[in-house]
Amino acid sequence: MSLKTKPRRFVVQQHKARQTHWDFRLQENDKMKSWILPKGPSLNPSVKSFAIETSDHDLKYGNFEGIIDVGLYGAGKVLQWDRGTYRILEGNLNSDIIKFELNGKKLKGKWALVKTKRGWLLIKQKDEHATTSNIVRTAPKSVKSGKKIDDITKRDGFIVKEKDLGWD
Ligand code: MN
């Protein structure tokens, strides 16, 4: 398979830190390119979800669900909100317009990430998976554990060292 069509992993981690947000991550080799979605993703093609590019995370951190210890950056609860595979359809992970297809439990079909002067936009493309329902509200549970964010405890996972967050 060519690099363009080879499926790679994606994950969306709901993160209840100082402010709840959703971390959207696309695998690039052993790293995950990452964007913060303050309001989460939307399945509605008319909604442009604001996204802030953030530091790459290690691929293994993409599996994490649990609690980041007090005192570490991002301290709080992390939930596997969605995960699966993706394929690039147009551009690449360094492009200003990245079109891709998601095959997750909640997020499916065609999407675009578009870089603007003020940040990025994540936009659902029109296809059979587009809908006006608010997926963040209607499907809050972890695809790993079935838990909601407030049900996450140290037993799900517990990070006490910054290096385990997978930052460079
Ligand atoms: Mn985060």
Side-chain angles (χ1 to χ4, degrees):
M1 273 194 275
S2 79
L3 269 180
K4 253 203 158 149
T5 57
K6 186 180 169 192
R8 286 172 278 181
R9 292 187 47 206
F10 86 95
V11 64
V12 183
Q13 289 166 303
Q14 187 183 1
H15 187 183
K16 188 174 181 181
R18 270 178 298 182
Q19 292 200 319
T20 297
H21 58 271
W22 288 257
D23 290 303
F24 183 79
R25 310 189 197 281
L26 298 175
Q27 179 188 3
E28 185 178 44
N29 302 317
D30 61 343
K31 299 283 185 189
M32 300 194 97
K33 294 272 279 184
S34 299
W35 290 262
I36 298 164
L37 299 168
K39 295 184 177 173
S42 174
L43 301 180
N44 185 340
S46 67
V47 173
K48 296 174 171 67
S49 301
F50 187 60
I52 304 151
E53 195 171 11
T54 185
S55 53
D56 292 354
H57 279 56
D58 282 349
L59 186 57
K60 66 177 166 47
Y61 178 72
N63 279 324
F64 180 71
E65 177 168 283
I67 291 183
I68 299 173
D69 199 11
V70 175
L72 296 180
Y73 187 79
K77 300 187 174 194
V78 177
L79 175 141
Q80 293 272 314
W81 188 81
D82 197 19
R83 61 184 178 187
T85 58
Y86 80 96
R87 294 167 192 272
I88 296 283
L89 300 175
E90 268 183 62
N92 59 60
L93 290 183
N94 297 310
S95 306
D96 288 352
I97 299 176
I98 313 166
K99 292 191 176 179
F100 50 95
E101 184 175 53
L102 297 180
N103 184 17
K105 293 261 172 33
K106 300 177 187 177
L107 305 183
K108 296 176 188 292
K110 293 175 182 173
W111 295 75
L113 268 165
V114 180
K115 191 176 189 178
T116 74
K117 284 178 185 167
R118 285 192 281 174
W120 289 77
L121 300 170
L122 176 68
I123 308 163
K124 181 76 192 83
Q125 307 293 284
K126 288 178 186 168
D127 62 17
E128 69 272 29
H129 303 290
T131 160
T132 55
S133 81
N134 184 333
I135 186 83
V136 165
R137 198 181 307 145
T138 59
K141 292 179 182 173
S142 166
V143 295
K144 181 179 183 180
S145 64
K147 293 182 176 184
K148 292 184 183 178
I149 192 85
D150 286 331
D151 301 328
I152 298 292
T153 70
K154 287 182 183 178
R155 290 182 183 208
D156 296 297
F158 190 43
I159 284 182
V160 294
K161 292 177 187 159
E162 204 126 291
K163 71 173 178 62
D164 295 325
L165 294 165
W167 292 342
D168 293 330

